[in-house]
Amino acid sequence: MQILDGRAVSAHIKEQIKTEVATIKQNGGKTPHLAAILVGNNPASEAYVGNKVKTCQELGFGSTLLRFDTDITEDFLLAEVQNLNDNQDIDGILVQLPLPKHISENAVINAIHPNKDVDGFHPISQGKMLLGQDTFLPATPYGILLMLAHYNIDITGKHCVVIGRSNIVGSPMSVLLARNTNPGNATVTLTHSRTQDLKSFTLQADVIIAAIGKARFLTGDMVKEGAIIIDVGINRIDDATRKSGSRLVGDVDFDSVAPKSSYITPVPKGVGPMTICGLMKNTLKASQIKH
Ligand code: GUN
């Protein structure tokens, strides 16, 4: 069993980006600039956005964080997105999800200019991805592809079972794994909460991508010997042995699954840091396309 070390891989990729940005600046080019919008004070969202802004600073990117109260109107938020679309200094825009219930996430995502859609959530980005055209790939699936490539894990012809069909992870992941690209060319089964006898699918899987948002959902009895396990989940559970009274676990029950796996991502320090890499690579790309 080998741990897929997201922290180490992301450090390697971030070094490459940092060097590229330094060269761009030396040559008088424009500094890539990411704008992030955070609505409300969901602790998990605050942590994710904080990490993204911090990484921008590490890599020499510019960053702008716009914070708004939970009770802002949808029209107000749409106007703020439009301001960022019109601002020539801003290369990439991300609106941290989830948004409060009274604001339509679709309306907000659709309002982001596709050239600045570094999260890859806009219908144009997702449509281009489906057709295999060059675009911004959604950050988490992109980060997982970067990780597979880094470890030279060949999934050609392999059976990949994706658990979860969200617009952000499961659905785009299933498309990307099946594309005629490298990494890609896998045979993909997309499973979800209504799948009957999920275990019969996971037991056949050479690769499992767990993105269902349920703590330690995938257990050792559900995987075959030698499977590659990618854990996208970030769930906080009670743990009286910790000072904080809680800890983070993935969608995979690491202790029972790891001994059967050939490769496995831990939580934390697995997919999480790779998502940030995907976002940073997209922001650099947005800036380079524009300038
Ligand atoms: N919420 C959970 N994951 C993500 C992500 O990758 N991007 C944004 N904007 N919101 C998220």
Coordinates of all heavy atoms in Angstrom, one line a residue, residues 16-77:
Q16 N 6.6 24.7 -9.3 CA 6.6 25.0 -10.7 C 5.8 26.3 -11.1 O 6.3 27.1 -11.9 CB 6.0 23.8 -11.5 CG 6.8 22.5 -11.4 CD 6.0 21.4 -12.1 OE1 4.8 21.4 -12.2 NE2 6.8 20.3 -12.4
I17 N 4.7 26.4 -10.5 CA 3.8 27.6 -10.8 C 4.5 28.9 -10.3 O 4.6 29.9 -11.0 CB 2.4 27.5 -10.1 CG1 1.7 26.2 -10.6 CG2 1.6 28.7 -10.4 CD1 0.4 25.9 -9.9
K18 N 5.1 28.8 -9.1 CA 5.8 29.9 -8.6 C 6.9 30.4 -9.5 O 7.1 31.6 -9.7 CB 6.4 29.5 -7.2 CG 6.7 30.6 -6.3 CD 7.0 29.9 -4.9 CE 7.8 30.9 -4.0 NZ 8.1 30.3 -2.7
T19 N 7.7 29.4 -10.0 CA 8.8 29.8 -10.9 C 8.2 30.4 -12.2 O 8.8 31.4 -12.7 CB 9.6 28.5 -11.3 OG1 9.9 27.8 -10.1 CG2 10.8 28.8 -12.1
E20 N 7.1 29.9 -12.7 CA 6.5 30.4 -13.9 C 6.1 31.9 -13.7 O 6.3 32.7 -14.5 CB 5.3 29.5 -14.3 CG 5.3 29.2 -15.8 CD 4.2 28.2 -16.1 OE1 4.2 27.1 -15.5 OE2 3.3 28.6 -16.9
V21 N 5.4 32.1 -12.5 CA 4.9 33.4 -12.2 C 6.1 34.4 -12.1 O 6.0 35.6 -12.6 CB 4.1 33.4 -10.9 CG1 3.7 34.8 -10.5 CG2 2.8 32.6 -11.2
A22 N 7.2 34.0 -11.4 CA 8.3 34.9 -11.3 C 8.9 35.3 -12.6 O 9.2 36.4 -12.9 CB 9.4 34.1 -10.4
T23 N 8.9 34.3 -13.6 CA 9.5 34.6 -14.9 C 8.5 35.6 -15.6 O 9.0 36.5 -16.3 CB 9.5 33.3 -15.7 OG1 10.3 32.3 -15.0 CG2 10.2 33.5 -17.1
I24 N 7.2 35.4 -15.5 CA 6.3 36.3 -16.1 C 6.5 37.7 -15.6 O 6.6 38.7 -16.4 CB 4.8 35.8 -15.9 CG1 4.5 34.5 -16.6 CG2 3.8 36.9 -16.2 CD1 3.2 33.8 -16.2
K25 N 6.7 37.8 -14.3 CA 6.8 39.1 -13.7 C 8.1 39.8 -14.2 O 8.2 41.0 -14.5 CB 6.8 39.0 -12.2 CG 5.4 38.8 -11.6 CD 5.5 38.9 -10.1 CE 4.3 38.4 -9.4 NZ 4.5 38.4 -8.0
Q26 N 9.2 39.0 -14.2 CA 10.5 39.5 -14.6 C 10.5 40.0 -16.1 O 11.1 41.0 -16.4 CB 11.6 38.3 -14.6 CG 12.3 38.3 -13.3 CD 13.0 36.9 -13.1 OE1 13.3 36.2 -14.1 NE2 13.3 36.5 -11.9
N27 N 9.6 39.4 -16.9 CA 9.5 39.8 -18.3 C 8.5 40.9 -18.5 O 8.0 41.2 -19.6 CB 9.1 38.6 -19.2 CG 10.3 37.6 -19.2 OD1 11.4 37.9 -19.0 ND2 9.9 36.3 -19.5
G28 N 8.0 41.5 -17.4 CA 7.1 42.6 -17.4 C 5.7 42.2 -17.7 O 4.8 43.0 -18.0
G29 N 5.4 40.9 -17.5 CA 4.0 40.4 -17.7 C 3.1 40.7 -16.5 O 3.6 41.2 -15.5
K30 N 1.9 40.4 -16.7 CA 0.9 40.7 -15.6 C 0.9 39.6 -14.5 O 0.9 38.4 -14.8 CB -0.5 40.8 -16.3 CG -1.5 41.1 -15.2 CD -3.0 41.2 -15.7 CE -3.9 41.4 -14.5 NZ -3.8 40.3 -13.5
T31 N 0.8 40.1 -13.3 CA 0.6 39.2 -12.2 C -0.8 38.5 -12.2 O -1.8 39.3 -12.2 CB 0.8 39.9 -10.9 OG1 2.1 40.6 -10.9 CG2 0.7 39.0 -9.6
P32 N -0.9 37.2 -12.2 CA -2.2 36.6 -12.1 C -2.9 37.0 -10.9 O -2.3 37.1 -9.8 CB -1.9 35.1 -12.1 CG -0.5 34.9 -12.6 CD 0.2 36.2 -12.2
H33 N -4.2 37.2 -11.0 CA -5.0 37.7 -9.8 C -6.3 37.0 -9.7 O -7.1 36.9 -10.6 CB -5.3 39.2 -10.1 CG -5.7 39.9 -8.8 ND1 -5.1 41.1 -8.3 CD2 -6.7 39.6 -7.9 CE1 -5.8 41.5 -7.2 NE2 -6.7 40.6 -7.0
L34 N -6.5 36.4 -8.5 CA -7.7 35.6 -8.3 C -8.6 36.4 -7.3 O -8.1 36.9 -6.3 CB -7.3 34.3 -7.6 CG -8.5 33.4 -7.1 CD1 -9.3 32.8 -8.3 CD2 -8.0 32.2 -6.2
A35 N -9.9 36.5 -7.6 CA -10.9 37.1 -6.7 C -11.8 36.0 -6.2 O -12.3 35.1 -6.9 CB -11.7 38.1 -7.4
A36 N -11.9 36.0 -4.8 CA -12.8 35.0 -4.2 C -13.9 35.7 -3.5 O -13.7 36.7 -2.8 CB -11.9 34.2 -3.2
I37 N -15.1 35.1 -3.6 CA -16.3 35.6 -2.9 C -16.7 34.6 -1.8 O -16.9 33.4 -2.2 CB -17.4 35.9 -3.9 CG1 -17.0 37.1 -4.8 CG2 -18.7 36.3 -3.1 CD1 -18.1 37.5 -5.8
L38 N -16.8 35.1 -0.6 CA -17.3 34.2 0.5 C -18.5 34.9 1.1 O -18.5 36.0 1.6 CB -16.2 34.1 1.5 CG -16.5 33.3 2.8 CD1 -16.9 31.9 2.5 CD2 -15.3 33.3 3.7
V39 N -19.6 34.1 1.1 CA -20.9 34.7 1.7 C -21.2 33.9 3.0 O -21.2 32.7 3.0 CB -22.1 34.5 0.7 CG1 -23.3 35.1 1.3 CG2 -21.8 35.2 -0.6
G40 N -21.4 34.7 4.1 CA -21.7 34.1 5.4 C -20.4 33.6 6.1 O -19.3 34.0 5.7
N41 N -20.6 32.8 7.1 CA -19.4 32.4 7.9 C -19.4 30.9 8.2 O -19.1 30.5 9.3 CB -19.3 33.3 9.2 CG -20.6 33.5 9.8 OD1 -21.5 32.7 9.6 ND2 -20.7 34.4 10.7
N42 N -19.7 30.1 7.2 CA -19.6 28.7 7.4 C -18.1 28.3 7.6 O -17.2 28.7 6.8 CB -20.1 28.0 6.0 CG -19.8 26.6 6.0 OD1 -18.8 26.1 6.4 ND2 -20.8 25.9 5.4
P43 N -17.8 27.7 8.8 CA -16.4 27.5 9.1 C -15.6 26.7 8.1 O -14.4 27.1 7.8 CB -16.4 26.7 10.4 CG -17.8 26.8 10.9 CD -18.7 27.1 9.8
A44 N -16.2 25.7 7.4 CA -15.5 24.9 6.4 C -15.1 25.8 5.2 O -14.0 25.9 4.7 CB -16.3 23.7 6.0
S45 N -16.1 26.6 4.8 CA -15.9 27.5 3.6 C -14.8 28.6 4.0 O -14.0 28.9 3.1 CB -17.2 28.2 3.3 OG -18.1 27.3 2.7
E46 N -14.9 29.1 5.2 CA -13.9 30.1 5.6 C -12.5 29.4 5.5 O -11.5 30.1 5.0 CB -14.1 30.5 7.1 CG -15.4 31.3 7.2 CD -15.3 32.4 8.3 OE1 -14.2 32.6 8.8 OE2 -16.3 32.9 8.6
A47 N -12.4 28.2 6.0 CA -11.0 27.5 5.9 C -10.6 27.3 4.5 O -9.4 27.6 4.1 CB -11.1 26.2 6.7
Y48 N -11.5 26.9 3.6 CA -11.1 26.6 2.2 C -10.7 27.9 1.5 O -9.7 27.9 0.8 CB -12.3 26.0 1.4 CG -12.8 24.7 1.9 CD1 -14.2 24.3 1.8 CD2 -11.9 23.8 2.5 CE1 -14.6 23.1 2.3 CE2 -12.4 22.5 2.9 CZ -13.7 22.2 2.8 OH -14.2 21.0 3.3
V49 N -11.5 29.0 1.7 CA -11.2 30.2 1.0 C -9.9 30.8 1.6 O -9.0 31.3 0.8 CB -12.3 31.2 1.2 CG1 -11.9 32.6 0.7 CG2 -13.6 30.7 0.4
G50 N -9.7 30.7 2.9 CA -8.5 31.2 3.5 C -7.3 30.5 2.9 O -6.3 31.1 2.6
N51 N -7.4 29.2 2.7 CA -6.3 28.4 2.1 C -6.0 28.9 0.7 O -4.8 28.9 0.3 CB -6.7 26.9 2.0 CG -6.0 26.2 3.1 OD1 -4.9 26.5 3.6 ND2 -6.6 25.0 3.5
K52 N -7.0 29.2 -0.1 CA -6.9 29.6 -1.5 C -6.2 30.9 -1.5 O -5.2 31.1 -2.3 CB -8.2 29.6 -2.2 CG -8.9 28.2 -2.3 CD -10.3 28.3 -2.8 CE -10.9 26.9 -2.8 NZ -12.4 26.9 -3.2
V53 N -6.6 31.9 -0.7 CA -6.0 33.2 -0.6 C -4.5 33.1 -0.2 O -3.6 33.7 -0.8 CB -6.8 34.1 0.3 CG1 -6.0 35.4 0.5 CG2 -8.1 34.4 -0.3
K54 N -4.3 32.3 0.8 CA -2.9 32.1 1.3 C -2.0 31.5 0.2 O -0.8 31.9 0.0 CB -2.9 31.1 2.5 CG -1.7 31.1 3.3 CD -1.8 30.2 4.5 CE -1.2 28.9 4.2 NZ -1.5 27.7 4.9
T55 N -2.5 30.5 -0.5 CA -1.7 29.9 -1.6 C -1.4 31.0 -2.7 O -0.3 31.0 -3.3 CB -2.5 28.7 -2.2 OG1 -2.8 27.8 -1.1 CG2 -1.6 28.0 -3.2
C56 N -2.4 31.8 -3.0 CA -2.1 32.9 -4.0 C -0.9 33.7 -3.5 O 0.0 34.0 -4.3 CB -3.3 33.9 -4.1 SG -4.7 33.3 -5.1
Q57 N -0.9 34.1 -2.2 CA 0.3 34.9 -1.7 C 1.6 34.1 -1.9 O 2.6 34.6 -2.3 CB 0.0 35.3 -0.3 CG -1.1 36.4 -0.2 CD -1.8 36.4 1.1 OE1 -1.5 35.6 2.0 NE2 -2.8 37.3 1.2
E58 N 1.5 32.8 -1.5 CA 2.7 31.9 -1.6 C 3.3 31.9 -3.0 O 4.5 31.9 -3.2 CB 2.3 30.5 -1.3 CG 2.9 29.8 -0.1 CD 2.2 28.4 0.0 OE1 2.7 27.5 -0.7 OE2 1.3 28.3 0.8
L59 N 2.4 31.9 -4.0 CA 2.8 31.7 -5.4 C 3.1 33.0 -6.1 O 3.5 33.0 -7.3 CB 1.8 30.9 -6.2 CG 1.4 29.6 -5.6 CD1 0.5 28.8 -6.6 CD2 2.6 28.7 -5.4
G60 N 2.9 34.1 -5.4 CA 3.1 35.4 -6.1 C 2.0 35.9 -6.9 O 2.1 36.8 -7.7
F61 N 0.8 35.3 -6.7 CA -0.4 35.8 -7.4 C -1.0 37.0 -6.6 O -0.8 37.1 -5.4 CB -1.5 34.7 -7.4 CG -1.4 33.6 -8.3 CD1 -0.1 33.2 -8.8 CD2 -2.5 32.8 -8.6 CE1 0.0 32.1 -9.6 CE2 -2.3 31.7 -9.4 CZ -1.1 31.4 -9.9
G62 N -1.7 37.8 -7.2 CA -2.5 38.8 -6.5 C -3.8 38.1 -6.1 O -4.3 37.1 -6.7
S63 N -4.4 38.6 -5.0 CA -5.7 38.0 -4.6 C -6.6 39.1 -4.0 O -6.1 40.0 -3.4 CB -5.5 36.9 -3.6 OG -4.9 37.4 -2.4
T64 N -7.9 38.9 -4.2 CA -8.9 39.8 -3.6 C -10.0 38.9 -2.9 O -10.5 38.0 -3.6 CB -9.6 40.6 -4.7 OG1 -8.6 41.5 -5.3 CG2 -10.7 41.5 -4.1
L65 N -10.2 39.2 -1.6 CA -11.3 38.4 -1.0 C -12.4 39.3 -0.7 O -12.3 40.3 0.0 CB -10.7 37.8 0.3 CG -11.8 37.1 1.2 CD1 -12.5 36.0 0.5 CD2 -11.1 36.5 2.5
L66 N -13.6 39.0 -1.2 CA -14.8 39.8 -0.9 C -15.7 39.0 0.0 O -16.1 37.9 -0.3 CB -15.6 40.1 -2.2 CG -14.8 41.0 -3.2 CD1 -15.6 41.2 -4.5 CD2 -14.4 42.3 -2.7
R67 N -16.0 39.5 1.2 CA -16.8 38.8 2.2 C -18.1 39.6 2.3 O -18.2 40.8 2.4 CB -16.1 38.8 3.5 CG -14.8 38.0 3.5 CD -14.4 37.7 4.9 NE -15.5 36.9 5.6 CZ -15.3 36.0 6.5 NH1 -14.1 35.8 7.0 NH2 -16.3 35.3 7.0
F68 N -19.2 38.8 2.3 CA -20.5 39.4 2.5 C -21.3 38.6 3.5 O -21.1 37.4 3.7 CB -21.3 39.4 1.1 CG -20.6 40.1 0.0 CD1 -20.1 39.4 -1.1 CD2 -20.3 41.4 0.1 CE1 -19.4 40.0 -2.1 CE2 -19.6 42.1 -0.9 CZ -19.2 41.4 -2.0
D69 N -22.3 39.4 4.1 CA -23.2 38.7 5.1 C -24.1 37.7 4.4 O -24.5 37.9 3.2 CB -24.0 39.8 5.8 CG -23.1 40.6 6.8 OD1 -22.1 40.1 7.1 OD2 -23.5 41.8 7.0
T70 N -24.6 36.8 5.2 CA -25.5 35.8 4.7 C -26.8 36.4 4.1 O -27.4 35.8 3.2 CB -26.0 34.8 5.9 OG1 -24.8 34.5 6.6 CG2 -26.7 33.6 5.4
D71 N -27.2 37.6 4.6 CA -28.5 38.1 4.2 C -28.4 39.0 2.9 O -29.4 39.7 2.6 CB -29.2 38.8 5.3 CG -28.4 40.0 5.9 OD1 -27.3 40.2 5.3 OD2 -28.8 40.6 6.9
I72 N -27.3 39.0 2.2 CA -27.3 39.8 1.0 C -28.3 39.3 0.0 O -28.6 38.1 0.0 CB -25.9 39.9 0.3 CG1 -25.4 38.5 0.0 CG2 -24.9 40.7 1.2 CD1 -24.2 38.4 -1.0
T73 N -28.7 40.1 -1.0 CA -29.7 39.6 -2.0 C -28.9 39.0 -3.1 O -27.7 39.2 -3.3 CB -30.5 40.7 -2.5 OG1 -29.7 41.7 -3.2 CG2 -31.3 41.5 -1.4
E74 N -29.7 38.2 -3.9 CA -29.1 37.6 -5.1 C -28.6 38.7 -6.1 O -27.6 38.6 -6.7 CB -30.1 36.6 -5.7 CG -29.5 35.9 -6.9 CD -30.5 34.9 -7.5 OE1 -31.0 34.1 -6.7 OE2 -30.9 35.0 -8.7
D75 N -29.5 39.7 -6.2 CA -29.2 40.8 -7.2 C -27.9 41.5 -6.8 O -27.0 41.8 -7.6 CB -30.3 41.8 -7.2 CG -31.5 41.3 -8.0 OD1 -31.3 40.3 -8.7 OD2 -32.5 41.9 -8.0
F76 N -27.7 41.7 -5.5 CA -26.4 42.3 -5.0 C -25.2 41.5 -5.4 O -24.2 42.0 -5.9 CB -26.5 42.5 -3.5 CG -25.3 43.1 -2.9 CD1 -25.1 44.5 -2.8 CD2 -24.3 42.2 -2.4 CE1 -23.9 45.0 -2.3 CE2 -23.1 42.8 -1.9 CZ -22.9 44.1 -1.8
L77 N -25.3 40.2 -5.1 CA -24.2 39.3 -5.4 C -23.9 39.2 -6.9 O -22.8 39.2 -7.4 CB -24.5 37.9 -4.9 CG -23.4 36.9 -5.0 CD1 -22.1 37.4 -4.3 CD2 -23.8 35.5 -4.3

